[in-house]
C-alpha cells in the first residue's frame, strides 16, 4: 500500500470529470487500498480518486471514529434524494477551511464494490453529506462551488492565508 499525494486547490486537475470503471482487476483493488490509506493518514472521512489524480469513478468513505466502517464506491449514482440539510464541510483538497453547504438529507445510492458487485444503500447524516461531496469530486465539482460568490471569495482568502502560513 502507498499513501498518495492529495491535490490541493487551485489545482486544475480537481476539475477533471472522472470516467466509469470498466475493469475490476488488481490495479483497481490497489487503487482502492491506496485511497483508504491516504484518507486514514490525512484524517479524512472520504476521499475521491480525483483528489489523488486518478480520474476514475471511485471514492472511499469511513465516517466512524475507529476506522470500523470503510466503504468503497465504484461508479456511484444517486438514484433518490430527499430533504435539505446544511452542515460544516471540510475537504482534504482545501486544508483548514470549512463551510456550510446545502445538501439533500437522505439519499439512496447505487454503486459497485471493488469486486464488481452491485449494491444499493440509503445514507443519512454525515455519510449522506460525504457521499454527495465525493460524487461531486468525481464530476469535477468542489464544495466551494456550492457557495455564494461572497462566501466563496471569503473562504478562498482564508485558505490562501493558511497556505502562506504553512510554507
Ligand atoms: Zn473533498
Amino acid at each position: 500500500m502507498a499513501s498518495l499525494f492529495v491535490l490541493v486547490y487551485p489545482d486544475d486537475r480537481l476539475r477533471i470529470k472522472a470516467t466509469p470503471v470498466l475493469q475490476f482487476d488488481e490495479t483497481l483493488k490497489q487503487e482502492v487500498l491506496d485511497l483508504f490509506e491516504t484518507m486514514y493518514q490525512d484524517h479524512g472521512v472520504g476521499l475521491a480518486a480525483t483528489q489523488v489524480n486518478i480520474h476514475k469513478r471511485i471514492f472511499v468513505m469511513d465516517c466512524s471514529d475507529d476506522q470500523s466502517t470503510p466503504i468503497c464506491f465504484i461508479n456511484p449514482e444517486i438514484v433518490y434524494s430527499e430533504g435539505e440539510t446544511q452542515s460544516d464541510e471540510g475537504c482534504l483538497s482545501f486544508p483548514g477551511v470549512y463551510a456550510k453547504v446545502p445538501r439533500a438529507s437522505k439519499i439512496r445510492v447505487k454503486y459497485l464494490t471493488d469486486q464488481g458487485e452491485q449494491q444499493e444503500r440509503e445514507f443519512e447524516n454525515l455519510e449522506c453529506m460525504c457521499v454527495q461531496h465525493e460524487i461531486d469530486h468525481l464530476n469535477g465539482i468542489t464544495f466551494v462551488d456550492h457557495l455564494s460568490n461572497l462566501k466563496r471569495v471569503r473562504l478562498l482568502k482564508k485558505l490562501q492565508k493558511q497556505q502562506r502560513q504553512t510554507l
Side-chain angles (χ1 to χ4, degrees):
M1 288 212 288
S3 181
L4 305 169
F5 180 78
V6 177
L7 302 177
V8 170
Y9 181 90
D11 197 306
D12 282 342
R13 291 170 291 181
L14 289 168
R15 293 279 171 209
I16 298 173
K17 196 170 178 218
T19 54
V21 172
L22 302 173
Q23 274 183 309
F24 293 81
D25 53 11
E26 285 307 310
T27 306
L28 178 70
K29 275 182 204 143
Q30 190 57 52
E31 284 166 343
V32 169
L33 289 175
D34 291 345
L35 278 168
F36 273 118
E37 186 179 337
T38 308
M39 177 184 77
Y40 287 134
Q41 185 174 302
D42 292 355
H43 307 290
V45 294
L47 184 66
T50 308
Q51 292 175 275
V52 293
N53 203 28
I54 296 173
H55 301 286
K56 297 185 192 175
R57 302 189 77 78
I58 311 168
F59 76 87
V60 296
M61 175 172 94
D62 187 341
C63 293
S64 70
D65 294 327
D66 54 0
Q67 306 190 356
S68 60
T69 56
I71 316 178
C72 152
F73 298 77
I74 313 281
N75 302 342
E77 206 184 316
I78 295 172
V79 292
Y80 171 80
S81 66
E82 68 171 49
E84 223 181 277
T85 185
Q86 281 198 24
S87 47
D88 268 327
E89 283 185 31
C91 179
L92 294 178
S93 296
F94 294 77
V97 295
Y98 301 88
K100 281 196 167 28
V101 179
R103 301 284 188 188
S105 57
K106 186 175 173 182
I107 55 172
R108 191 181 309 134
V109 187
K110 246 165 85 171
Y111 60 98
L112 300 168
T113 67
D114 61 356
Q115 317 278 335
E117 291 152 354
Q118 185 81 56
Q119 303 281 320
E120 192 166 326
R121 265 187 70 174
E122 279 188 4
F123 295 97
E124 287 179 279
N125 305 314
L126 180 58
E127 287 187 325
C128 179
M129 178 264 271
C130 185
V131 168
Q132 293 172 79
H133 178 116
E134 303 309 332
I135 290 178
D136 271 355
H137 274 304
L138 301 180
N139 292 322
I141 296 166
T142 61
F143 76 129
V144 302
D145 297 327
H146 293 288
L147 304 177
S148 67
N149 279 335
L150 184 70
K151 279 187 184 161
R152 185 167 52 243
V153 168
R154 230 184 255 159
L155 185 117
L156 294 177
K157 266 191 192 149
K158 203 173 157 192
L159 180 71
Q160 275 179 353
K161 212 169 142 189
Q162 297 206 348
Q163 284 173 339
R164 271 201 302 272
Q165 281 167 353
T166 51
L167 284 179

